[in-house]
């Protein structure tokens, strides 16, 4: 073989190395965040990942619902009936008001007091826990905290209801992956996946193939289904398999039904695919509350096009467009019920 051919092959190999997939994981938002980047040099990928890791730390600090943060400061001001400014929270507040109304109030980040009494303002969910009394739940539901109580004028935030306590846990990670993907694009990355504990957003492709995403089975660590994504899409799951409380053998989900103040029952996991991570995350929480009765109506109202639900018996419900996209392992195909089109 001629020397020139050798050099050519070597260059190909080197460029292959430089443009392989780069993956890194770090811990933030109380969960493991994984980033995969394809098609840029190792140095560029690692700089981009460091930038995203720092951004995530900042968001985690700004939006923290129970440790001293701009959000807990705002909550204190609301409880004291004061007007407050918190620029880092304005986009979350505006989006929350929108999703609150679209979901008929099933997505309601104003119910922080209920989330707290159910023991979810804690990093350690295996610690001692006693469910709140029915009286306490009735009292907090009667306060009727709503995102409509929040008023924004310029950068001034106020609430007409002191019972409002904000907690953005239901869509903070979905919104964070939107912001992170936007940042990756600015940094020249065109092909990537960011997965913040089941809240995933992808752009571009993995070489000449679409990204293949595994959706977790709510019963454990197995994969329930796979879905191919390319372009810009978020695949976001809510479920009671990771964050829950247990008391006397009963499991309490971390998703609370704002209408009765109790943990949502009936669905083990809900997966939504949408371009916007914030929408997919807010919708996956709202649809968990909506349950088998109402998910279809709420999904339509929120403008969501792809939904998959798993009930407590492991039966899978999908809309026809989602049915066309998800692939189940041939040896572990669940019972699947296809709904009317959305
Ligand atoms: P995950 O954090 O596992 O992705 P979700 O996106 O469903 O799950 O968010 C659940 C979190 O949202 C809860 O831990 C709580 O902080 C908050 N939350 C619970 N119920 C509601 C609700 N009905 N509306 C808005 N936020 C909620
Ligand atoms: Mg959610």
């Amino acid at each position: 073989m001629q020397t020139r051919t050798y050099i050519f092959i070597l260059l190909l190999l080197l460029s292959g190395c430089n443009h392989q997939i780069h993956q890194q994981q770090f811990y933030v938002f109380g969960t493991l965040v994984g980033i995969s980047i394809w098609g840029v040099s190792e140095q560029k990928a690692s700089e981009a990942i460091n930038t995203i890791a720092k951004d995530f730390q900042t968001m985690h600090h700004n939006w923290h619902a129970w440790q001293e943060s701009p959000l807990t400061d705002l909550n204190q001001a609301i409880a004291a009936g004061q007007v407050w400014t918190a620029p880092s929270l304005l986009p979350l507040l505006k989006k929350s008001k929108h999703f609150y109304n679209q979901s008929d109030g099933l997505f309601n980040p104003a119910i922080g007091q209920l989330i707290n009494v159910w023991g979810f303002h804690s990093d350690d969910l295996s610690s001692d826990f006693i469910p709140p009394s029915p009286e306490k739940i009735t009292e907090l539901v009667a306060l009727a905290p709503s995102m409509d109580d929040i008023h924004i004028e310029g950068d001034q935030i106020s609430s007409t209801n002191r019972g409002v306590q904000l907690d953005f846990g239901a869509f903070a990670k979905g919104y964070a992956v939107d912001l992170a993907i936007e940042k990756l694009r600015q940094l020249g990355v065109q092909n990537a996946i960011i997965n913040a504990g089941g809240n995933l957003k992808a752009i571009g492709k993995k070489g000449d193939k679409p990204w293949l995403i595994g959706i977790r089975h709510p019963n454990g660590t197995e994969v329930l289904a796979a879905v191919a994504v390319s372009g810009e899409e978020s695949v976001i799951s809510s479920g009671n398999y990771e964050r829950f409380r247990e008391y006397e053998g009963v499991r309490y989900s971390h998703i609370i039904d704002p209408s009765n103040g109790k943990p949502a029952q009936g669905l083990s996991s809900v997966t939504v695919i949408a371009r916007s991570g914030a929408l997919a995350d807010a919708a996956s929480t709202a649809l968990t509350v909506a349950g088998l009765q109402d998910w279809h109506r709420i999904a339509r109202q929120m403008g969501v096009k792809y939904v998959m639900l798993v009930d407590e018996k492991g039966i899978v419900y999908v809309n026809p467009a989602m049915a066309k996209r998800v692939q189940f392992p041939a040896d572990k195909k669940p019972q699947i019920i296809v709904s009317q089109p959305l």
Side-chain angles (χ1 to χ4, degrees), residues 11-174:
L11 279 176
L12 264 183
L13 284 172
L14 280 177
S15 64
C17 292
N18 275 342
H19 292 86
Q20 270 174 352
I21 190 147
H22 306 285
Q23 290 175 308
Q24 220 167 296
Q25 291 187 324
F26 48 89
Y27 197 81
V28 68
F29 284 121
T31 192
L32 201 60
V33 176
I35 304 190
S36 306
I37 292 180
W38 199 93
V40 297
S41 70
E42 177 146 21
Q43 195 193 342
K44 196 165 179 175
S46 107
E47 279 168 14
I49 290 170
N50 288 341
T51 306
I52 301 301
K54 274 195 211 117
D55 286 0
F56 274 179
Q57 292 295 353
T58 307
M59 293 181 230
H60 182 51
H61 167 72
N62 286 343
W63 306 343
H64 209 291
W66 65 90
Q67 281 168 16
E68 165 84 57
S69 69
L71 181 58
T72 56
D73 289 346
L74 171 62
N75 280 333
Q76 275 172 23
I78 289 171
Q82 295 167 350
V83 179
W84 203 250
T85 52
S88 65
L89 301 177
L90 284 176
L92 285 161
L93 287 165
K94 289 177 184 166
K95 283 181 190 296
S96 294
K97 284 170 80 67
H98 178 66
F99 295 138
Y100 171 84
N101 283 300
Q102 273 191 328
S103 69
D104 282 0
L106 301 186
F107 168 83
N108 184 0
I111 60 166
Q113 293 203 62
L114 278 164
I115 295 165
N116 183 32
V117 296
W118 280 103
F120 293 109
H121 282 170
S122 167
D123 289 321
D124 177 15
L125 298 186
S126 62
S127 60
D128 284 348
F129 162 72
I130 299 176
S133 67
E135 294 75 27
K136 186 70 195 171
I137 297 171
T138 310
E139 177 197 320
L140 294 180
V141 171
L143 296 175
S146 135
M147 288 310 297
D148 287 342
D149 296 324
I150 296 285
H151 302 279
I152 302 169
E153 272 183 56
D155 59 358
Q156 307 266 296
I157 306 159
S158 61
S159 173
T160 39
N161 181 350
R162 290 192 189 198
V164 165
Q165 184 183 318
L166 298 161
D167 174 327
F168 297 122
F171 88 131
K173 282 179 266 175

Side-chain angles (χ1 to χ4, degrees), residues 65-66 105-111 115 120-121 167-173 196-199 236-239 242-243 254-258 281-282 284-286 288-289:
W66 65 90
L106 301 186
F107 168 83
N108 184 0
I111 60 166
I115 295 165
F120 293 109
H121 282 170
D167 174 327
F168 297 122
F171 88 131
K173 282 179 266 175
N199 303 272
I236 294 201
S237 300
S238 274
E242 229 167 45
R243 281 179 70 78
H254 69 142
I255 297 174
I256 312 290
D257 182 341
D281 202 357
S284 67
T285 304
T288 303
V289 179

Side-chain angles (χ1 to χ4, degrees), residues 189-336:
V189 174
Q190 302 302 335
N191 306 285
I193 286 194
I194 304 180
N195 183 1
N199 303 272
L200 182 149
K201 184 160 186 175
I203 44 167
K205 289 181 170 193
K206 187 183 178 186
D208 53 1
K209 294 195 186 81
W211 296 105
L212 198 61
I213 314 292
I215 300 170
R216 249 179 81 178
H217 196 291
N219 290 343
T221 48
E222 290 166 34
V223 170
L224 169 71
V227 60
V229 299
S230 52
E232 178 177 345
E233 250 179 339
S234 308
V235 182
I236 294 201
S237 300
S238 274
N240 58 12
Y241 45 87
E242 229 167 45
R243 281 179 70 78
F244 55 85
R245 284 289 196 173
E246 232 159 9
Y247 181 71
E248 294 186 339
V250 182
R251 195 182 266 208
Y252 297 98
S253 158
H254 69 142
I255 297 174
I256 312 290
D257 182 341
S259 67
N260 62 18
K262 293 184 191 155
Q265 283 181 324
L267 294 176
S268 297
S269 90
V270 174
T271 301
V272 173
I273 305 180
R275 187 180 170 97
S276 155
L279 167 63
D281 202 357
S284 67
T285 304
L287 299 185
T288 303
V289 179
L292 285 178
Q293 285 278 318
D294 278 335
W295 72 270
H296 200 268
R297 182 175 63 84
I298 300 295
R300 285 181 83 131
Q301 278 178 208
M302 297 187 84
V304 160
K305 301 281 179 256
Y306 302 98
V307 178
M308 176 166 75
L309 309 98
V310 185
D311 75 5
E312 281 166 353
K313 292 189 224 117
I315 302 173
V316 172
Y317 298 79
V318 277
N319 66 301
M322 185 68 139
K324 282 201 192 120
R325 292 189 64 174
V326 278
Q327 302 156 37
F328 296 91
D331 55 335
K332 280 191 192 139
K333 221 173 167 185
Q335 185 184 340
I336 302 163

